[in-house]
Amino acid sequence: MNVNQSAPPVPPFGQPQPIYPGYHQSGYGGQPSSTAPPTSYGAYNGPVPGFQQTPPLGVSRAPPSSGAPPASTAQAPCGQAAYGQFGQGDIQNGPSSSTVPTQRLPGSQPFGSPLAPAVSQPAVLQPYGPPPTSAQVTAQLAGMQISGAMAPAPPPSGLGYGPPTSLASASGSFPNSGPYGSYPQGQAPPVSQAQGHPGVHPSQRSAPPLASSFIPPTSGGPRMPSMTGSLPPGQGFGAPPMSQPNHVSSPPPQALPPGTQMTGPQGPPPPMHSLPQPGYQLQQNGSFGPGRGPQPNYGSPYPGAPTFGSQPAPPQPLPPKRLDPDAIPSPIQVIEDDRNTRGSEPFVTGVRGQVPPLVTTNFLVKDQGNASPRYIRCTSYNIPCTSDMAKQAQVPLAAVIKPLARLPPEEASPYVVDHGESGPLRCNRCKAYMCPFMQFIEGGRRFQCCFCSCINDVPPQYFQHLDHTGRRVDAYDRPELSLGSYEFLATVDYCKNNKFPSPPAFIFMIDVSYNAIRTGLVRLLCEELKSLLDYLPREGGAEESAIHVGFVTYNKVLHFYNVKSSLAQPQMMVVSDVADMFVPLLDGFLVNVNESRAVITSLLDQIPEIFADTRETETVFAPVIQAGMEALKAAECAGKLFLFHTSLPIAEAPGKLKNRDDRKLINTDKEKTLFQPQTGVYQTLAKECVAQGCCVDLFLFPNQYVDVATLSVVPQLTGGSVYKYACFQVENDQERFLSDLRRDVQKVVGFDAVMRVRTSTGIRAVDFFGAFYMSNTTDVELAGLDANKTVTVEFKHDDRLNEESGALLQCALLYTSCAGQRRLRIHNLALNCCTQLADLYRNCETDTLINYMAKFAYRGVLNSPVKTVRDTLITQCAQILACYRKNCASPSSAGQLILPECMKLLPVYLNCVLKSDVLQPGAEVTTDDRAYVRQLVTSMDVAETNVFFYPRLLPLTKSPIESTTEPPAVRASEERLSNGDIYLLENGLNLFLWVGASVQQGVVQSLFNVASFSQIASGLSVLPVLDNPLSKKVRGLIDSLRAQRSRYMKLTVVKQEDKLEVLFKNFLVEDKSLSGGESYVDFLCHMHKEIRQLLS
Ligand SMILES: [Zn+2]
């Protein structure tokens, strides 16, 4: 409960930046607070006497109550509680001391000359605007009693969820119509380019060529260098996937009876080569080519099987065979290999089109002109020059952008550049911001825009001479001329209404209905807030947060609190007319925490008492958000609402919902309605919130269906977060809830933000995925944006690209910092362009592809049957791989399954997406769980989707007890579990400790403090604190995993053969799932069949 102990304020962006004397550090760091003095809110037009007649809280008890008996608390059984948590892929980078080959921009060069005149930031202190008009007050007065109805709600428009633009609908269709067979054979690229590919970067050079990386050399016998799934000629495929009589629910590997002919989609399992020599060279980004020896056909047969591969002969009768799971591409091995080859030296961003290390690799980034992969990751770093090529390959061209990503302490936060009153320098035509790719000409008097080619004059104050290479001599002194990422101080032109913004405000809005009181939530929350308010986000060196706070409680009516510092006691004002929400007080509602501390503490002490005996079970929801938004509007500031809500809002009010959960809709054409909001009220409300810069974070504590799909609309469209604690009980869930709450309240947020992605001629951003709102086709509007939120952007060609000039992206985010400073954050990234498909396939990043494809599919379920969405994904994946097979792999039998090196995990990862709860739910997954996960995934970054779809499974007793590093993971399959061991499994949301039935008694004693396996309590969520090395190690590892994720992962202990094991097995994603999801082996065969069909 004591925040002081566990939650120190951590300025996540802060670190001194000595080498840029002329700049101040980004505001999350050393930005002097003097630019944002604590604002006095005195300009609020004084008290409104009429609204202060309510007696002090202690006197006034019991707000109006409907008197409904608390019978409705006879709740349906809780759904799976497995989704309370959400993981932030943490990108911690270990320091690296290795030297970097000199790059285009020597990073070690100090930014010597102090330029950029001392910042004279205009005071952001702004009075709170015009006083409420008399009309307003009158309306308020009227509203206190009763008042008119709200404007008619717009018609429900579930389909309109998302940007209401033609683009959105266009992109809502699934790209699966690649002109596949029409590809001219002659275009098959010279794959031998693999070695001399331009733009090969230093880290590539250091990467040892990996041989046969498909197969971890685990057990005796030579490992297969490659794999070929081949089919006996003439064998038919025809049956639809998913129902596979031969592969009933046993996990792989599956033993087939002698002579079994695979029917249906499967074909025989891919026979395995046993050739000992490498089938291909693994390049970092590359594929393999003829110059590198044999094709990576996973050619020769697994033991006892006939050789399919290039053999034309029909297969011999099949002896009993077993597909060796070790012989198919292993995520664990790929992750391990990348860590070994790329984790040891920094990733230097000076060279165009470099593929960064995997998100699972710890590496340091040196910004030398392109944005760090922590900010932007692309599906491919070499994009086709023409749209025909792109269509042929079907590889989505997308960037996953995390504009405010947190950096490890070793890396510099973006520098803040202040150009004074003239503001940042931009291209006159396309409005792109000055960046390292702009070309200065005519002795430095003009510059040519790298995005639109427009020639611009250099303003006199920005003029500088060029050196003999045409580069400005001050290039290294200016972040905007030498770095991939930096910030500009925005001028007043970039502010709403041409006024510098006020500091943002936080409003805590607490459900005090019967359920919230009964579970102890209200008491817990109020107690926590008393200390948590000391940890509101601050800018750099500020002594106290500039953020003001306000409080509202509600059930079917709203209670506002006056906590003005001059009051002896807080005052409550009740607004029962929820149809026409207004804020009954201005002065005293949003206050400085320190000034009003005594009154706030008194309020938080009283709230649980006031409502202790409530019988009110009904709640409203939309009016609560409306009230918070109106309060921010009245205060003329941006901000965030923290809503703590327990039930389906069935009270009579705008946004009233009905229980429309219907599991019978699953697998029907109407399943999509489960994901759509049931009313358009929330979308309209969200639009108003975005206009006000009002971000909504929602904490849900449901005992039954609450319609997450509808309730999460406003958080989703305002850049907020949703947390869900099903069947909340203080004793079981307080640790998780409080941990999430502390992080959520303390996290740095950019408010009232607009993001625009500009591109060089030839491609443009056409589609966007994430938690935001769009009112046109280009501007991503974010009422709030935190360091975890990610926007995925898809690009399409609108012209031919040029290999020489490549393609450029510039992401510009305009936002208000938590101290009220208006800023622009710029990220630039240059990509290569290719005329050979092999170059595309050599420079893809599968983790990013999966991030895009999952978001694409999860949006698709709003409009299409889930099966259609799944089929579309499968088709697209098959097209991607078939195009590679046809155009980039050397000639070989059509029976061979050949995967591009950097996409060899595409099938296994895609299968995980296909059988995820959103696309193929198990019986225990509730509608709310699916809606919850759907919206979580929408703003996940690449590391998060990676671990979410393919969980980490860590054996705990195999590695030496004294080892301090995380144990090496094993593949997520039941056959990797030893019943003599214990394992931790995590996916960013869930954390399981699985205990094998034969685990040593000493281990049981050391971890659980009981004598035997049978005495371990099933479903345990806390390990006893024991003073022995194993206990300390396991608890330490759990703490470490939790620290890596942005949400707290609750632990569940699962015993082998226990009933909870079903839940756990759902995360063993390489196995066939109970909901019908294919095993990895089966899916690979399925994919091979699809590819063969495309190639035939
Ligand atoms: Zn331009």
Side-chain angles (χ1 to χ4, degrees):
M1 279 295 246
N2 188 349
V3 171
N4 293 302
Q5 290 170 349
S6 61
V10 182
F13 280 23
Q15 63 180 312
Q17 295 296 336
I19 59 172
Y20 276 109
Y23 311 116
H24 35 228
Q25 191 54 61
S26 175
Y28 303 137
Q31 174 69 26
S33 62
S34 60
T35 57
T39 304
S40 149
Y41 281 53
Y44 243 17
N45 203 28
V48 186
F51 294 140
Q52 299 195 350
Q53 296 159 356
T54 316
L57 282 186
V59 181
S60 129
R61 269 183 87 88
S65 152
S66 69
S72 66
T73 54
Q75 306 290 5
C78 283
Q80 270 313 339
Y83 290 120
Q85 304 150 333
F86 167 77
Q88 166 58 29
D90 187 41
I91 315 172
Q92 295 287 327
N93 290 315
S96 172
S97 57
S98 54
T99 51
V100 191
T102 305
Q103 295 288 334
R104 187 165 61 88
L105 302 173
S108 57
Q109 178 160 347
F111 287 81
S113 61
L115 46 113
V119 184
S120 59
Q121 169 70 5
V124 293
L125 176 57
Q126 294 289 335
Y128 262 15
T133 62
S134 57
Q136 186 180 357
V137 172
T138 308
Q140 290 167 353
L141 280 165
M144 284 297 278
Q145 314 305 328
I146 190 169
S147 81
M150 204 177 181
S157 60
L159 293 178
Y161 189 54
T165 65
S166 55
L167 260 182
S169 62
S171 55
S173 64
F174 291 88
N176 56 357
S177 54
Y180 210 75
S182 66
Y183 186 65
Q185 295 289 339
Q187 279 194 27
V191 193
S192 56
Q193 283 188 352
Q195 308 209 33
H197 168 57
V200 170
H201 45 94
S203 46
Q204 266 185 311
R205 275 186 267 125
S206 69
L210 301 185
S212 64
S213 63
F214 274 16
I215 302 101
T218 50
S219 56
R223 281 302 175 187
M224 303 66 180
S226 51
M227 150 188 114
T228 296
S230 66
L231 296 170
Q235 177 144 359
F237 291 117
M242 301 308 167
S243 66
Q244 298 168 359
N246 288 336
H247 286 193
V248 197
S249 57
S250 59
Q254 284 137 0
L256 297 175
T260 300
Q261 287 288 336
M262 297 246 206
T263 56
Q266 292 182 321
M272 293 301 146
H273 261 308
S274 49
L275 298 176
Q277 89 284 9
Y280 56 93
Q281 304 268 0
L282 171 61
Q283 279 199 296
Q284 275 317 309
N285 322 318
S287 58
F288 28 82
R292 292 179 171 275
Q295 263 304 315
N297 39 31
Y298 314 124
S300 78
Y302 44 89
T307 299
F308 300 129
S310 55
Q311 275 194 300
Q316 302 303 308
L318 301 173
K321 57 185 182 291
R322 227 171 151 258
L323 177 55
D324 181 1
D326 283 343
I328 55 180
S330 158
I332 304 303
Q333 191 63 45
V334 170
I335 288 170
E336 196 62 29
D337 289 345
D338 194 73
R339 281 181 181 158
N340 291 335
T341 56
R342 305 201 65 185
S344 57
E345 58 183 87
F347 178 70
V348 183
T349 70
V351 177
R352 187 175 84 190
Q354 295 179 91
V355 182
L358 298 180
V359 285
T360 42
T361 297
N362 288 339
F363 61 100
L364 202 65
V365 180
K366 291 196 173 174
D367 183 343
Q368 293 196 354
N370 285 289
S372 162
R374 299 183 211 292
Y375 296 123
I376 307 181
R377 279 186 176 264
C378 294
T379 53
S380 177
Y381 290 80
N382 199 333
I383 60 183
C385 277
T386 67
S387 62
D388 282 352
M389 263 177 84
K391 280 180 192 149
Q392 196 176 1
Q394 285 289 316
V395 176
L397 303 176
V400 179
I401 307 177
K402 202 172 168 187
L404 297 180
R406 211 173 280 123
L407 302 181
E410 300 88 352
E411 294 177 16
S413 307
Y415 296 94
V416 181
V417 180
D418 183 6
H419 284 322
E421 288 186 4
S422 61
L425 189 53
R426 309 174 69 174
C427 169
N428 288 328
R429 185 198 287 163
C430 74
K431 303 298 179 192
Y433 293 86
M434 181 52 65
C435 73
F437 307 115
M438 296 288 188
Q439 193 70 44
F440 286 86
I441 55 176
E442 295 180 25
R445 288 185 298 277
R446 303 176 111 185
F447 71 93
Q448 180 166 26
C449 175
C450 51
F451 294 93
C452 73
S453 302
C454 175
I455 308 280
N456 296 272
D457 289 334
V458 174
Q461 73 274 16
Y462 200 75
F463 173 80
Q464 186 51 269
H465 293 287
L466 308 183
D467 66 14
H468 65 284
T469 67
R471 173 180 296 272
R472 279 172 62 119
V473 298
D474 65 349
Y476 294 128
D477 301 327
R478 291 185 177 271
E480 77 276 18
L481 296 181
S482 55
L483 295 177
S485 301
Y486 43 86
E487 294 200 330
F488 290 115
L489 280 188
T491 61
V492 74
D493 296 339
Y494 294 84
C495 302
K496 214 176 262 181
N497 304 324
N498 275 338
K499 278 170 58 182
F500 282 110
S502 307
F506 284 179
I507 304 177
F508 297 90
M509 317 189 83
I510 306 168
D511 178 348
V512 289
S513 67
Y514 176 80
N515 274 330
I517 297 291
R518 178 186 58 90
T519 57
L521 167 66
V522 173
R523 187 172 299 277
L524 177 71
L525 174 60
C526 288
E527 194 60 35
E528 176 67 21
L529 284 178
K530 281 195 266 179
S531 47
L532 188 53
L533 293 176
D534 288 333
Y535 295 93
L536 301 179
R538 287 179 287 179
E539 293 243 51
E543 279 188 15
E544 65 174 20
S545 174
I547 291 171
H548 285 205
V549 298
F551 301 88
V552 171
T553 57
Y554 67 95
N555 36 49
K556 62 196 291 187
V557 299
L558 275 73
H559 326 106
F560 292 78
Y561 297 94
N562 185 341
V563 284
K564 194 174 182 178
S565 59
S566 56
L567 295 175
Q569 283 289 318
Q571 295 175 334
M572 177 200 276
M573 273 147 259
V574 179
V575 177
S576 51
D577 178 18
V578 292
D580 189 15
M581 189 43 61
F582 68 97
V583 183
L585 79 165
L586 296 177
D587 184 37
F589 180 63
L590 293 175
V591 298
N592 174 293
V593 173
N594 285 336
E595 288 169 10
S596 290
R597 180 173 302 277
V599 193
I600 290 173
T601 302
S602 172
L603 171 67
L604 293 170
D605 281 335
Q606 291 180 53
I607 285 174
E609 305 305 326
I610 298 169
F611 301 101
D613 302 322
T614 186
R615 311 286 284 177
E616 181 56 69
T617 59
E618 293 188 357
T619 57
V620 296
F621 189 71
V624 183
I625 297 175
Q626 180 91 32
M629 186 263 293
E630 297 287 351
L632 295 179
K633 188 186 281 181
E636 293 187 327
C637 67
K640 182 141 79 165
L641 312 182
F642 297 81
L643 255 75
F644 304 88
H645 190 81
T646 60
S647 59
L648 191 70
I650 54 171
E652 201 54 55
K656 171 185 176 179
L657 301 180
K658 60 180 186 295
N659 187 336
R660 44 109 188 215
D661 188 17
D662 186 358
R663 294 184 62 87
K664 288 196 293 294
L665 297 182
I666 293 175
N667 289 324
T668 71
D669 283 354
K670 289 187 175 169
E671 184 171 1
K672 61 190 176 195
T673 60
L674 297 176
F675 297 110
Q676 296 165 352
Q678 63 171 287
T679 160
V681 167
Y682 291 96
Q683 210 173 347
T684 306
L685 185 55
K687 188 178 177 181
E688 291 179 57
C689 286
V690 171
Q692 185 52 45
C694 171
C695 174
V696 178
D697 280 359
L698 175 61
F699 293 78
L700 285 169
F701 306 86
N703 285 327
Q704 55 188 1
Y705 179 76
V706 291
D707 199 345
V708 172
T710 305
L711 296 189
S712 63
V713 166
V714 178
Q716 173 82 17
L717 293 180
T718 60
S721 302
V722 179
Y723 301 82
K724 185 158 82 71
Y725 309 88
C727 300
F728 179 84
Q729 288 183 304
V730 167
E731 53 273 28
N732 295 334
D733 301 301
Q734 75 166 16
E735 189 177 357
R736 179 158 69 101
F737 164 56
L738 293 181
S739 173
D740 288 341
L741 176 65
R742 288 165 190 162
R743 285 200 224 187
D744 196 71
V745 168
Q746 294 176 52
K747 72 186 173 188
V748 168
V749 183
F751 291 97
D752 207 3
V754 181
M755 186 180 111
R756 171 81 75 94
V757 178
R758 292 182 173 82
T759 49
S760 53
T761 309
I763 55 167
R764 65 194 168 93
V766 295
D767 204 356
F768 302 85
F769 303 82
F772 52 74
Y773 183 82
M774 290 185 79
S775 54
N776 58 43
T777 57
T778 54
D779 293 325
V780 176
E781 298 173 49
L782 301 125
L785 176 68
D786 64 53
N788 299 324
K789 292 288 189 309
T790 307
V791 178
T792 294
V793 183
E794 187 187 6
F795 302 95
K796 288 253 161 68
H797 287 77
D798 57 9
D799 203 349
R800 193 185 165 83
L801 294 167
N802 185 317
E803 268 182 298
E804 199 175 314
S805 49
L808 299 176
L809 313 179
Q810 183 178 77
C811 167
L813 177 80
L814 174 64
Y815 71 100
T816 300
S817 77
C818 57
Q821 195 176 60
R822 200 72 173 150
R823 295 199 190 132
L824 280 150
R825 179 170 290 202
I826 313 294
H827 298 297
N828 303 290
L829 185 64
L831 302 172
N832 285 329
C833 297
C834 60
T835 55
Q836 303 297 334
L837 283 165
D839 288 331
L840 165 67
Y841 282 100
R842 200 177 288 126
N843 290 281
C844 285
E845 223 221 1
T846 296
D847 294 334
T848 308
L849 267 176
I850 289 293
N851 180 281
Y852 167 84
M853 293 174 92
K855 290 175 181 176
F856 185 75
Y858 279 20
R859 188 175 66 190
V861 300
L862 289 171
N863 303 310
S864 306
V866 169
K867 179 167 188 319
T868 306
V869 173
R870 284 205 310 263
D871 290 347
T872 303
L873 284 184
I874 292 171
T875 304
Q876 185 174 16
C877 180
Q879 285 174 327
I880 291 169
L881 298 176
C883 177
Y884 174 80
R885 175 69 179 76
K886 183 173 180 180
N887 300 289
C888 305
S890 67
S892 58
S893 161
Q896 293 177 332
L897 173 59
I898 303 178
L899 303 173
E901 177 57 35
C902 64
M903 285 189 195
K904 65 185 178 186
L905 297 180
L906 189 58
V908 59
Y909 285 162
L910 186 73
N911 190 38
C912 296
V913 175
L914 290 170
K915 59 194 208 177
S916 62
D917 288 340
V918 170
L919 296 185
Q920 196 163 12
E924 78 289 355
V925 181
T926 67
T927 300
D928 274 347
D929 283 340
R930 298 176 75 197
Y932 179 60
V933 170
R934 198 191 74 78
Q935 67 84 29
L936 281 184
V937 167
T938 300
S939 51
M940 280 187 183
D941 69 14
V942 178
E944 287 169 329
T945 49
N946 178 265
V947 76
F948 176 72
F949 288 110
Y950 192 96
R952 277 207 291 175
L953 181 60
L954 306 173
L956 296 186
T957 63
K958 294 258 166 53
S959 54
I961 194 87
E962 62 277 5
S963 168
T964 53
T965 54
E966 281 180 13
V970 297
R971 294 168 65 171
S973 169
E974 187 170 7
E975 73 163 15
R976 308 285 166 175
L977 298 174
S978 154
N979 62 6
D981 204 350
I982 50 177
Y983 297 82
L984 271 177
L985 180 144
E986 66 120 355
N987 73 343
L989 286 182
N990 306 285
L991 184 60
F992 292 97
L993 183 69
W994 183 88
V995 188
S998 308
V999 70
Q1000 286 178 5
Q1001 196 220 329
V1003 170
V1004 172
Q1005 186 70 48
S1006 298
L1007 267 189
F1008 301 101
N1009 204 24
V1010 295
S1012 69
F1013 175 79
S1014 62
Q1015 291 174 292
I1016 301 171
S1018 170
L1020 202 63
S1021 62
V1022 181
L1023 292 181
V1025 178
L1026 303 174
D1027 187 18
N1028 66 69
L1030 182 65
S1031 176
K1032 286 178 182 168
K1033 179 180 174 179
V1034 173
R1035 286 182 289 113
L1037 183 58
I1038 289 170
D1039 289 345
S1040 152
L1041 294 177
R1042 282 175 175 159
Q1044 290 172 36
R1045 307 296 173 199
S1046 69
R1047 296 189 179 205
Y1048 184 91
M1049 296 186 289
K1050 185 177 174 182
L1051 178 72
T1052 306
V1053 174
V1054 174
K1055 295 162 68 178
Q1056 188 176 11
E1057 304 295 333
D1058 187 79
K1059 60 182 189 309
L1060 279 175
E1061 204 184 21
V1062 176
L1063 182 59
F1064 172 76
K1065 282 182 178 174
N1066 193 39
F1067 296 92
L1068 299 177
V1069 288
E1070 289 201 21
D1071 300 342
K1072 189 175 177 69
S1073 72
L1074 283 177
S1075 56
E1078 289 180 291
S1079 72
Y1080 178 16
V1081 170
D1082 289 349
F1083 183 71
L1084 206 53
C1085 295
H1086 178 183
M1087 190 50 61
H1088 189 203
K1089 183 212 83 174
E1090 297 278 337
I1091 293 168
R1092 278 175 58 92
Q1093 279 183 343
L1094 288 169
L1095 291 175
S1096 63

